[in-house]
Amino acid sequence: EGRNIRTFEKLTGVELILDEETPELITISCFDPVRREIAKIALDKLIKDGRIQPAKIEEKVKEAEKEIEEKIKEAGEGALLELGIIGIDPNLTKLLGRLKFRSSFGQNVLVHSLEVAHLAEILASEVGADPKVAKIAGLFHDIGKAVDHQIEGSHVQIGMRILEKFGIDQKIISAMKSHHGEFPPENIEAVIVQIADQISGARPG
């Protein structure tokens, strides 16, 4: 029913695409991966419930938003716990958690960020650089991808602004901003993060 589709799209911020030739298939279209996930969960709940009408749509969307908010928080806190990083602002932790729902070049961005952090820490330890700076820069090197669908600029530029906003040490920002060659490396940790990013991105599997 058109009214229900419009209500769902308005509440979730996605577009539903239906094809008469494949009535059993619904395509969810949205640039924001978190909104897509909310819509997917809400739609699944509505189909299982069977009572699809505006009040029920609103109820299921709110339930889905609450579930995703909790998953984002858990994902961000889990990543920091795995790496033994403390003292990160809760709002920056949530941005990190959003990467759980983002993929890039076939990789989950949060998993990739954790890999880069681990690799950067190991490499820094081997060559006498600062393992903590390399690790944190590795973890946050793609943080701009959490919101690059909403804000203009490359994910590196967006990431720099985010980290500056949350008071992250300038040495860490310098170490993360060179991983795509947009900025020349200013310290050895920047070279290490770039190498760790390439290893994680290019390794088979």
Side-chain angles (χ1 to χ4, degrees):
E1 189 183 329
R3 183 182 64 153
N4 288 334
I5 290 171
R6 286 192 298 275
T7 300
F8 188 86
E9 289 179 337
K10 184 179 178 183
L11 289 171
T12 58
V14 306
E15 180 187 1
L16 292 182
I17 302 168
L18 300 98
D19 187 343
E20 288 181 7
E21 292 181 10
T22 53
E24 74 285 356
L25 184 69
I26 300 172
T27 302
I28 298 168
S29 178
C30 180
F31 286 113
D32 184 335
V34 173
R35 298 308 307 173
R36 272 202 312 268
E37 192 66 21
I38 289 167
K40 184 176 144 210
I41 291 171
L43 199 55
D44 189 48
K45 286 175 178 287
L46 284 163
I47 290 166
K48 284 176 182 171
D49 185 275
R51 292 170 293 171
I52 301 175
Q53 38 93 354
K56 190 57 69 172
I57 291 168
E58 188 172 355
E59 176 191 320
K60 297 305 178 186
V61 168
K62 282 181 180 175
E63 285 178 15
E65 285 173 341
K66 193 173 178 182
E67 280 182 32
I68 291 297
E69 189 67 25
E70 192 56 38
K71 285 182 181 179
I72 286 170
K73 183 172 176 281
E74 285 175 6
E77 289 174 350
L80 295 173
L81 184 64
E82 180 178 327
L83 293 168
I85 297 171
I86 58 172
I88 299 297
D89 187 285
N91 289 318
L92 181 54
T93 303
K94 284 182 187 175
L95 283 176
L96 182 65
R98 286 177 67 92
L99 296 179
K100 176 183 172 73
F101 300 100
R102 177 79 147 81
S103 63
S104 182
F105 299 104
Q107 284 185 304
N108 178 279
V109 178
L110 183 57
V111 172
H112 165 66
S113 298
L114 281 163
E115 282 184 358
V116 173
H118 283 299
L119 289 165
E121 182 180 28
I122 292 164
L123 289 167
S125 298
E126 290 288 336
V127 301
D130 188 326
K132 185 178 178 183
V133 167
K135 176 172 69 175
I136 298 173
L139 179 64
F140 288 115
H141 79 285
D142 274 345
I143 194 68
K145 289 184 178 180
V147 291
D148 63 353
H149 55 279
Q150 297 172 331
I151 301 170
E152 277 193 37
S154 72
H155 76 271
V156 175
Q157 293 167 333
I158 296 166
M160 288 167 61
R161 295 200 296 270
I162 288 170
L163 297 182
E164 284 166 0
K165 176 184 173 183
F166 288 106
I168 298 297
D169 190 293
Q170 191 57 49
K171 195 173 181 184
I172 292 167
I173 297 171
S174 294
M176 64 73 72
K177 72 181 186 181
S178 303
H179 71 277
H180 280 311
E182 279 184 62
F183 300 92
E186 296 173 356
N187 51 38
I188 186 64
E189 291 81 14
V191 178
I192 287 167
V193 170
Q194 188 178 51
I195 292 166
D197 182 40
Q198 290 172 352
I199 292 170
S200 174
R203 69 190 180 86

